[in-house]
Amino acid sequence: MTPESLFPTGTDEPTATPPPGCPAHGLGPSGLRRLYGPGAEDLGAVYEELRAEHGPVAPALLHEDVPIWVVLGHSENMHMVRSPSQFCRDTRLWSALQDGTVKPDHPLMPHFAWQPICSHAEGDEHLRLRGAVTGAMSTIDHRGIRRYINRATQYLVNKFCEQGGADLVSQFAEHLPMMVMCEILGMPDEYNDRIVQAARDMPKGTETAIASNAYLMDVLMRLTVRRRAEPMDDFTSHLIQHPARLTDDEVGQHLRIILVAAYEATANLIANVLRVVLTDPRFRAQLKGGQMTVPEAVEQSLWDEPPFSTVLPYVAKQETELGGRRIGKSDALILGIAPGNVDPRVRPDLAANMQGNRSHLAFGGGPHECPGQDIGRAIAEVGVDALLTRLPDVQLACAEHELSWRASISNRHLVELPVKFAPKPQQDVMARPAHPLASRRTSDWQLGTPEPQPLPAQPAAPSSAPASAPVPAPTPAPAGRPGMFRRLLRWWRGE
């Protein structure tokens, strides 16, 4: 027998709540824990309190005391996202929206409002919309994008490398994902400070977020109309041309969710990885010594500090059981990414290395698993690796305790990451990539991606310039059978 639902289901008056200043001030009606306001400044600690009291699935209250279930267990979260017959993302089924408990001006309405996009659709409609998105994703040239990420990183680092210091949040982490996403969507000319600020502001649900959303939609709808008339080899054109035949509104809405979600998640991921590299000597030593590659460092960060803490809401399509709790039909649940990632049943030792383990919840799972996760990983991996290669002596320019975060129920992002380093010369962003000496690379940072880093462009010597002094030839190594690539090269040259 499962315990009865802890949510009040009738019209009786709620139980008395403690007065402000009381130790239980974080509690709301029926004694449920609030996920907002006084006492909820550290949601990680709140989740652990809920886990200790209720287990892997706990009742709680969102803003304005809207009841919701928080899924804290790793296996319970995976069951929820992988069971579309029991749980869905169609918020129109949520009883709190149907009966007016959630008001139209609720501060989290941007998260709740249903939209005609694949992440809210079910059944055949989900297959149609999701198929168009994944189909367009499959056309992306991943090697070409990794080269573009490298060039974009060099471009951004060139802006501050001669100064000997920078803020790696506002000058790097918040710009690199937007540069890359604008290129992928087919609107590189739209990249500027304004679109970066709008993408950061829009998910907050503030008054300025409305204007930011309007600006982003104007940019994306103009792009949609332009690519409908003149298709090119970019994501937007392939989305429009997919056999699913999306309308202009559907294309624009999907472009918005892809742009904002990819941007926000990747900006947070880059900042998180760089912070750990700069503040944890063991982490940095492993990275420098080759015991950990940059991709492994990114994966570790996805476990420890996922870019999105939660996704909300999922809705129960029928009365069911999850984690020993009876979940009522039309109840809403929070996908607990951050608490699920630290579930003691899967991570009894949080200090243990999670290298090679991709079973975290950072990208969700099931039918609504993030379709662009490989792009997000690539931006973080190539960007972090290229930056650390350019600035191997980079150090934190403040005490670690001076770092601050802005947190909400959906995510937690670093405000600033001030660093210092010896001033470096600019590099030619468009220089042809060349392979640095292996000894140099391994002495600086372990290469995490196969993409070579561009070297500064060297000016051609004029024909009248005197010949430089001859360089002594190195002692030849013992001759051996040439490698496959060298043999192929000789064949190509006719040697």
Side-chain angles (χ1 to χ4, degrees), residues 117-334:
I117 54 177
C118 62
S119 57
H120 288 172
E122 297 295 321
D124 292 341
E125 184 66 359
H126 174 262
L127 292 176
R128 182 180 77 89
L129 298 174
R130 175 79 177 207
V133 171
T134 55
M137 286 279 182
S138 69
T139 67
I140 295 174
D141 175 8
H142 286 263
R143 287 182 178 272
I145 286 300
R146 293 177 87 90
R147 287 192 294 270
Y148 184 85
I149 297 166
N150 197 311
R151 293 196 299 270
T153 298
Q154 308 306 335
Y155 170 83
L156 291 172
V157 175
N158 277 350
K159 287 190 167 186
F160 56 75
C161 64
E162 296 176 312
Q163 301 169 12
D167 169 24
L168 292 185
V169 173
S170 65
Q171 292 178 267
F172 184 70
E174 290 187 346
H175 281 266
L176 181 61
M178 184 57 72
M179 289 184 70
V180 177
M181 290 308 300
C182 284
E183 173 71 12
I184 289 174
L185 297 187
M187 53 178 200
D189 294 341
E190 296 286 355
Y191 164 73
N192 54 34
D193 289 341
R194 185 180 180 189
I195 197 169
V196 169
Q197 294 165 0
R200 204 47 144 167
D201 181 56
M202 196 272 280
K204 296 178 182 179
T206 61
E207 289 185 4
T208 56
I210 297 174
S212 296
N213 179 64
Y215 166 69
L216 288 174
M217 284 307 301
D218 177 64
V219 169
L220 296 172
M221 292 308 298
R222 283 190 285 108
L223 172 66
T224 300
V225 172
R226 192 162 64 247
R227 287 294 178 264
R228 179 83 70 181
E230 299 177 3
M232 298 184 68
D233 186 17
D234 54 40
F235 178 88
T236 302
S237 298
H238 289 293
L239 186 63
I240 291 170
Q241 295 172 332
H242 191 272
R245 301 178 66 83
L246 271 61
T247 66
D248 281 3
D249 183 57
E250 289 174 332
V251 171
Q253 293 291 348
H254 279 88
L255 292 179
R256 179 182 63 166
I257 194 69
I258 290 168
L259 178 66
V260 174
Y263 167 76
E264 180 76 9
T266 310
N268 290 343
L269 178 59
I270 292 171
N272 291 341
V273 174
L274 289 172
R275 182 193 66 79
V276 176
V277 168
L278 294 169
T279 59
D280 188 336
R282 295 173 301 174
F283 198 91
R284 186 164 187 165
Q286 283 185 313
L287 202 56
K288 273 192 169 184
Q291 295 92 353
M292 178 185 290
T293 63
V294 173
E296 288 171 337
V298 168
E299 221 61 38
Q300 183 73 36
S301 180
L302 290 170
W303 274 103
D304 297 335
E305 294 181 283
F308 286 111
S309 308
T310 62
V311 172
L312 68 161
Y314 273 74
V315 181
K317 298 168 72 174
Q318 60 191 33
E319 185 171 316
T320 186
E321 179 184 341
L322 184 66
R325 296 292 181 186
R326 180 176 65 80
I327 310 298
K329 181 180 179 181
S330 299
D331 280 0
L333 307 93
I334 295 176

Side-chain angles (χ1 to χ4, degrees), residues 160 164-173 271 274-275 277-279 284 387 391 393-405 414-421:
F160 56 75
D167 169 24
L168 292 185
V169 173
S170 65
Q171 292 178 267
F172 184 70
L274 289 172
R275 182 193 66 79
V277 168
L278 294 169
T279 59
R284 186 164 187 165
L387 180 137
L391 309 174
D393 60 337
V394 64
Q395 297 179 15
L396 194 64
C398 68
E400 183 178 354
H401 71 267
E402 295 180 56
L403 297 176
S404 61
W405 285 260
L414 198 60
V415 175
E416 293 179 325
L417 189 61
V419 296
K420 57 185 178 181
F421 47 85

